[in-house]
């Protein structure tokens, strides 16, 4: 069921939600959280579809905030709120309100959203595109226990990743981090099978892919060994090789679907490591609403290294081709990892 409201208010939207629930015969509210999606008109459909699929696992009230900036000065000055209320089959297993903000209302989105939040329920804000540099200080982000961004959608993903590290606040997370969960699980499980010490790691993937960067940060942070970054044509992450005193351990995924795990002294194994859709990533993030300390540790570990890379980039362009390639590696050995090189490597890299 859909109810369209033009030039409306938050109180009228709440009344429409009650009216819609009664009309379909489900007056009781059985939702567990409020998911606020901040997006633009172009990406709203995909974001809402992902949220609806995730609602099968996490019934929620989904509020989609679309800030409409008019090109006409006359229309730009007129404040207006339009809403589309969806309940029943049109809203997955929860409720959906699509909010389109015009004029001065754009600068006060939190005032529109606040009366629509479910009482006594957690709030998660997800910026599908155009996330603020400091999500926790954003007016909408201040309403939430968890703030989800996606550096992969940014114009300059590596710079965005560095900004996320500088502004990190407990409760922040990123879908680029969520994408590497299967990789982290697989690598940790592989290390649990051997009695070896890791001496170095090489991470291979697309250039300027934040998930590749984060995996390298996590490995360097957990294992205290140098991590080298290698480029590939993708898709996404394509391989990790860990050198140990018992022989190499390699996880290779050339096609974005099926990976091969090789451990010295054991037969090679094919493992499913498919690239996941946005709905699966959002569903995973909604399973936990506490701060992700592992993400924070890996992110902060890479701040200094990312800063050094940005400083060294102009000088690297003046070097010979082979030297420039080494200087431009996003996850080359960090100074922190080098200082700890003599320390014994940890056996497991689990969270």
């Amino acid at each position: 069921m859909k109810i369209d409201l033009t030039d409306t208010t938050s109180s009228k939207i709440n009344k429409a939600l009650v009216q819609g629930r009664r009309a379909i015969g489900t007056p009781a509210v059985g939702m567990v959280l409020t998911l606020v999606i901040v997006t633009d008109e172009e990406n709203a459909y995909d974001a809402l579809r992902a949220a609806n699929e995730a609602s099968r696992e996490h019934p929620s009230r989904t509020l989609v905030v679309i800030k409409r900036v008019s090109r006409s000065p006359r229309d730009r000055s007129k404040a207006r709120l339009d809403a589309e209320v969806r309940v029943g089959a049109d809203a997955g297993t929860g409720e959906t309100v699509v909010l389109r903000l015009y004029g001065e209302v754009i600068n006060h989105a939190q005032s529109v959203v606040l009366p629509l939040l479910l009482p006594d329920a957690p709030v998660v804000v997800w910026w599908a595109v155009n996330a603020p540099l400091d999500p926790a200080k954003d007016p909408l982000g201040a309403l939430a226990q968890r703030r989800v961004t996606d550096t992969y959608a940014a114009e300059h993903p590596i710079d965005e990743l560095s900004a996320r590290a500088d502004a990190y606040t407990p409760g922040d997370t990123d879908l680029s981090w969520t994408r590497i969960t299967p990789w982290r699980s697989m690598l940790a499980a592989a290390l649990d099978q051997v009695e070896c010490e890791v001496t170095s790691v090489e991470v291979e993937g697309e250039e300027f892919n934040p998930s590749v960067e984060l995996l390298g940060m996590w490995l360097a942070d957990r294992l205290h060994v140098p991590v080298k970054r290698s480029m590939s044509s993708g898709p996404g992450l394509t391989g990790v090789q860990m050198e140990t005193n018992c022989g190499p351990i390699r996880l290779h995924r050339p096609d974005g679907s099926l990976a091969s795990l090789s451990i010295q002294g054991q037969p090679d194994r094919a493992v499913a490591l498919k690239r996941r859709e946005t709905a699966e990533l959002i569903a995973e993030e909604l399973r936990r609403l506490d701060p992700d300390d592992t993400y924070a540790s890996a992110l902060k570990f890479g701040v200094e290294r990312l800063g050094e890379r940005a400083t060294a980039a102009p000088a690297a362009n003046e070097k010979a081709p082979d030297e420039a390639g080494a200087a431009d590696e996003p996850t080359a050995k960090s100074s922190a990892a080098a200082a700890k090189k003599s320390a014994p490597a940890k056996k497991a890299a689990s969270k």
Side-chain angles (χ1 to χ4, degrees):
M1 179 179 180
K2 295 182 181 180
I3 303 174
D4 291 321
L5 302 172
T6 303
D7 198 3
T8 187
T9 63
S10 297
S11 61
K12 292 179 181 178
I13 294 172
N14 267 320
K15 291 178 181 178
L17 285 168
V18 174
Q19 174 188 344
R21 288 198 301 268
R22 288 176 177 171
I24 63 174
T26 56
V29 178
M31 291 157 288
V32 297
L33 59 89
T34 303
L35 174 62
V36 181
I37 304 173
V38 186
T39 184
D40 55 20
E41 199 70 64
E42 180 181 356
N43 295 280
Y45 175 80
D46 290 335
L48 186 52
R49 183 179 62 177
N52 284 343
E53 291 181 16
S55 72
R56 298 172 184 172
E57 183 177 342
H58 309 279
S60 58
R61 173 176 290 179
T62 302
L63 307 177
V64 184
V65 178
I66 303 174
K67 300 179 180 180
R68 298 291 300 270
V69 180
S70 175
R71 295 180 180 179
S72 169
R74 180 180 300 178
D75 294 340
R76 197 180 306 152
S77 61
K78 183 181 179 182
R80 191 174 92 239
L81 169 64
D82 293 344
E84 181 182 323
V85 178
R86 304 179 184 180
V87 293
D90 292 312
T93 59
E95 299 173 341
T96 298
V97 181
V98 180
L99 303 166
R100 290 182 171 86
L101 283 57
Y102 300 83
E104 187 61 26
V105 183
I106 290 176
N107 300 322
H108 304 282
Q110 73 280 7
S111 300
V112 176
V113 169
L114 185 59
L116 301 176
L117 301 178
L118 289 172
D120 303 320
V123 179
V124 178
V125 176
W126 168 32
W127 287 270
V129 291
N130 302 323
L133 291 179
D134 191 343
K137 290 185 179 179
D138 182 85
L140 285 173
L143 301 175
Q145 285 75 41
R146 290 277 282 179
R147 295 164 294 275
V148 183
T149 57
D150 189 358
T151 51
Y152 189 75
E155 185 176 356
H156 302 289
I158 305 306
D159 294 340
E160 194 84 2
L161 194 62
S162 183
R164 293 282 170 270
D166 291 336
Y168 175 80
T169 301
D172 291 354
T173 191
D174 196 277
L175 294 186
S176 294
W177 171 256
T178 317
R179 290 183 179 95
I180 65 173
T181 298
W183 284 82
R184 294 190 294 120
S185 301
M186 194 65 65
L187 293 171
L191 288 176
D192 283 341
Q193 298 177 38
V194 296
E195 294 290 338
C196 303
E197 290 183 354
V198 180
T199 57
S200 66
V201 178
E202 181 176 1
V203 180
E204 180 185 77
E206 290 176 330
E207 187 176 9
F208 305 124
N209 187 307
S211 294
V212 184
E213 310 295 333
L214 283 166
L215 185 62
M217 294 178 193
W218 174 71
L219 287 165
D221 180 39
R222 289 290 169 173
L223 296 173
H224 305 301
V225 297
V227 176
K228 180 183 177 182
R229 169 76 154 89
S230 298
M231 305 300 179
S232 74
S233 57
L237 267 162
T238 54
V240 174
Q241 179 158 321
M242 299 184 289
E243 299 294 339
T244 76
N245 56 3
C246 306
I249 298 174
R250 181 170 174 77
L251 183 60
H252 184 53
R253 186 190 67 178
D255 60 357
S257 179
L258 190 65
S260 173
L261 177 63
S262 304
I263 301 177
Q264 187 73 21
Q266 299 183 19
D268 292 355
R269 283 167 281 181
V271 293
L273 207 59
K274 183 180 178 181
R275 301 186 78 192
R276 298 183 293 169
E277 300 291 335
T278 304
E280 297 177 74
L281 303 177
I282 289 296
E284 179 182 326
E285 284 301 331
L286 296 181
R287 289 183 199 125
R288 58 174 301 169
L289 299 176
D290 57 314
D292 191 339
D293 296 332
T294 307
Y295 167 68
S297 179
L299 190 64
K300 292 180 179 180
F301 181 88
V303 173
E304 183 179 353
R305 178 180 53 73
L306 286 171
E308 290 174 353
R309 175 178 177 266
T311 304
N317 293 332
E318 300 173 2
K319 296 181 180 181
D322 56 337
E323 294 176 344
D328 284 341
E329 288 174 347
T331 43
K333 176 170 42 175
S334 67
S335 57
K340 298 177 181 178
K341 184 177 179 181
S342 58
K346 291 182 180 180
K347 174 190 170 185
S350 56
K351 295 177 79 173

